Amino acid sequence: ASMRILATNGNTIYNAHTSYGAVGNGSTNDMAAINSALAAAAGNICYLPALTYNVGGSSIASNSHAFVFQIPANTCLWMAQGAKLIIPQQSSSSDFRVILLSNDNTTVVGGEIVGDRAARLPSNPDGYYPGDGVNIANNSGSIVFGTYFHDHFDDGVYIFRGSVNPVNF
């Protein structure tokens, strides 16, 4: 399964930057453009070139199990070397995941996912409000390969088995 995700032969590659309007300048909110590319790429590959993508507004959500991106089943999010997903500072009560892998055979390859830990620590020293990079939940065949995680308020990658009621925002 892991070899298939990197093969372009037989898969269509959907470029979020050139075809779906993700700007990648680090300040423009690219969340909607990347979500559109992921939806179009269902069953194939969504590609993010080596740019810096801001993937949230000033406050993503305060809902439990909120996420920025949910990868469709049988789909790969392929981030080029140098591609970054960055989260701007969230409220101290924000409970979110950048990527939710709750569908079968989902893959994240490469890139970097940067959290908002430094900005949130002073405002929430005793509380527990997750800010995960990738959350793998109740599925089979998910792969995270070659992705660098840092500065997350909680886990870079969190894996659990159980029910989840995700909320997209």
Side-chain angles (χ1 to χ4, degrees):
S2 62
M3 294 305 290
R4 180 190 168 283
I5 58 148
L6 297 175
T8 57
N9 188 18
N11 288 303
T12 302
I13 298 175
Y14 295 79
N15 188 315
H17 174 65
T18 60
S19 299
Y20 293 88
V23 177
N25 64 7
S27 60
T28 301
N29 187 340
D30 290 317
M31 185 170 63
I34 296 171
N35 268 316
S36 292
L38 279 166
N44 290 285
I45 299 169
C46 178
Y47 177 69
L48 298 178
L51 298 167
T52 300
Y53 304 92
N54 177 319
V55 293
S58 59
S59 181
I60 292 177
S62 59
N63 298 316
S64 180
H65 304 299
F67 62 91
V68 179
F69 305 117
Q70 184 174 27
I71 310 298
N74 305 307
T75 303
C76 173
L77 174 60
W78 174 23
M79 295 185 282
Q81 181 178 353
K84 291 181 186 181
L85 299 177
I86 61 169
I87 297 293
Q89 180 181 357
Q90 301 304 302
S91 69
S92 63
S93 62
S94 184
D95 174 6
F96 71 93
R97 290 90 179 112
V98 178
I99 298 174
L100 176 63
L101 300 179
S102 63
N103 293 311
D104 290 343
N105 304 314
T106 52
T107 307
V108 176
V109 175
E112 181 177 346
I113 302 176
V114 183
D116 69 339
R117 179 184 179 120
R120 281 213 278 172
L121 279 177
S123 65
N124 191 29
D126 300 318
Y128 177 74
Y129 302 105
D132 299 327
V134 170
N135 191 292
I136 301 173
N138 200 27
N139 70 18
S140 65
S142 288
I143 300 168
V144 178
F145 180 77
T147 306
Y148 176 55
F149 300 89
H150 62 94
D151 295 325
H152 295 281
F153 190 77
D154 202 16
D155 301 310
V157 177
Y158 180 72
I159 303 170
F160 75 98
R161 197 89 173 140
S163 62
V164 62
N165 296 310
V167 178
N168 194 357
F169 46 89

